[in-house]
Amino acid sequence: GDSDDMEENEDATPTLDFNYNKDGSIRRTKSQLVSLKAGAAAGGKFAIVSLHGTQEKVTIDDVIILNKLKPVSKWSVGSTHTLNAENGSLLLVGSPEQTLVGMPFVNGAEVEVMVEEITRDKKVIVFKKKRRKNYRRKNGHKREVTFLRVLDIRFPNEVEVEAQVELEESQSAAA
């Protein structure tokens, strides 16, 4: 009977959990934070893609913010696109086991992205002044941006396996 009473008392007293930071986030070591930043949460897969003049390191479920992608009819909200060597945008793919560096692009690998939103960015204020000359100009502008979400990163061998499965399914459907 004594052990049952002690268990009830333990549940009744609030215990402080030291696994959380003051802001409520989970407390992690520096090495854990580095591995998360490198894409460990997304299975460790990452890619470097080049889109309209900017290079981004991405992992699965990342959001990329780019200047507005044109034509809007092609890059409409909700549309999915496959970035690969054919459209010249996949420079490197990697995982904890292997890294494939393109020369200049990685043949056979694919990164699938979806257009999430097309909107305007935060206002940037441009202020020009020449001292003692009574010259002050204040301008502001908002750039138009496109938000892309990375849905999947596929290595060349994974792309070949998917193509074989689709081919077998189409052959079995035809038979």
Side-chain angles (χ1 to χ4, degrees):
D2 292 333
S3 62
D4 293 336
D5 295 333
M6 289 186 71
E7 287 176 18
E8 291 173 7
N9 290 341
E10 287 176 14
D11 292 338
T13 58
T15 58
L16 295 174
D17 195 356
F18 293 103
N19 293 332
Y20 295 94
N21 294 325
K22 289 179 182 176
D23 63 353
S25 62
I26 297 173
R27 180 171 288 155
R28 292 192 164 98
T29 62
K30 270 192 175 176
S31 61
Q32 288 173 322
L33 291 171
V34 168
S35 65
L36 285 171
K37 201 169 192 177
K45 289 184 183 180
F46 66 93
I48 296 181
V49 295
S50 173
L51 278 168
H52 295 267
T54 62
Q55 295 179 3
E56 300 277 342
K57 178 184 176 188
V58 297
T59 58
I60 295 172
D61 209 39
D62 274 0
V63 174
I64 312 169
I65 302 173
L66 296 166
N67 286 331
K68 188 174 181 182
L69 299 175
K70 296 178 181 176
V72 179
S73 56
K74 179 183 174 191
W75 296 93
S76 61
V77 175
S79 62
T80 58
H81 302 275
T82 303
L83 310 176
N84 51 26
E86 282 76 45
N87 54 27
S89 56
L90 194 53
L91 305 174
L92 180 142
V93 290
S95 72
E97 293 81 34
Q98 65 174 345
T99 302
L100 301 174
V101 180
M103 293 194 166
F105 309 113
V106 181
N107 290 325
E110 294 178 346
V111 173
E112 194 169 334
V113 296
M114 180 182 78
V115 179
E116 260 195 5
E117 186 179 353
I118 298 173
T119 185
R120 295 175 74 190
D121 206 356
K122 189 177 100 174
K123 181 176 270 191
V124 177
I125 294 174
V126 180
F127 185 73
K128 298 178 181 178
K129 178 182 177 180
K130 295 188 184 202
R131 61 188 187 145
R132 298 189 299 272
K133 306 292 183 215
N134 198 22
Y135 176 83
R136 286 186 290 280
R137 301 289 179 265
K138 183 178 176 183
N139 268 317
H141 70 85
K142 295 181 179 182
R143 67 178 184 144
E144 293 190 320
V145 292
T146 302
F147 287 73
L148 297 178
R149 172 139 342 242
V150 178
L151 300 175
D152 194 16
I153 297 173
R154 293 187 289 272
F155 281 79
N157 52 0
E158 296 172 18
V159 172
E160 292 170 11
V161 169
E162 286 181 16
Q164 288 176 349
V165 168
E166 289 175 9
L167 183 67
E168 291 170 3
E169 287 176 357
S170 63
Q171 288 176 352
S172 63

